[in-house]
Amino acid sequence: MAVGSAPMQLQLRATIRTKNGLCVPRKWIYHLSDGSTDLRTEGRPDMKTKLFSSACPGGIMLKETGQGYQRFLLYNRSPHPPEKCVEEFQSLTSCLDFKAFLLTPRNQDACELSSN
C-alpha cells in the first residue's frame, strides 16, 4: 500500500497466484473521501473498502462491500501466516458478527512482488 499519484489516493499493488499457478501482477487505486473512512475502488463505483490496523507483519486486513456481498479478507506475504495473525483476523470478524471462516489452501510459495 502506498500513496497514489494524486492527492486523496492510495495504491495497492500485489502479485496474485491464479488457479493455474501463474503469478499475475495487480494494482488497485483507492480514493479517500473527506469525512468518511470508506475507500472507493477506482473502476468499481459499487464497492466500498475499509482497512483495519493489524500488528501482523507482511499482512493487510480489509472489508469489501459491494452489490449484494460483504467479505473480510486477510492477505499475507507468507503462505502460512503466524497463528496470532489468523486469530486476530478471526477475532475482528467475529466481533463484527461474521461467523463463517474460510481458509484457502496454500500449496505454493508466495509470488514475488514486481517492482513496477
Side-chain angles (χ1 to χ4, degrees), residues 29-102:
I29 296 176
Y30 295 105
H31 297 271
L32 300 132
S33 303
D34 282 332
S36 174
T37 58
D38 291 336
L39 302 176
R40 297 287 179 181
T41 306
E42 190 168 282
R44 303 275 311 271
D46 61 313
M47 190 164 79
K48 292 189 295 185
T49 303
K50 287 187 184 286
L51 294 175
F52 292 87
S53 63
S54 172
C56 190
I60 187 171
M61 292 190 304
L62 51 92
K63 177 185 176 186
E64 288 183 349
T65 305
Q67 281 189 310
Y69 78 94
Q70 283 189 97
R71 64 182 180 174
F72 282 89
L73 301 163
L74 169 64
Y75 291 112
N76 196 283
R77 294 298 305 152
S78 168
H80 306 285
E83 188 61 31
K84 68 177 182 148
C85 296
V86 176
E87 289 170 0
E88 177 186 36
F89 180 72
Q90 286 179 305
S91 176
L92 169 70
T93 57
S94 177
C95 285
L96 295 170
D97 211 27
F98 279 69
K99 303 297 182 221
F101 184 77
L102 174 65

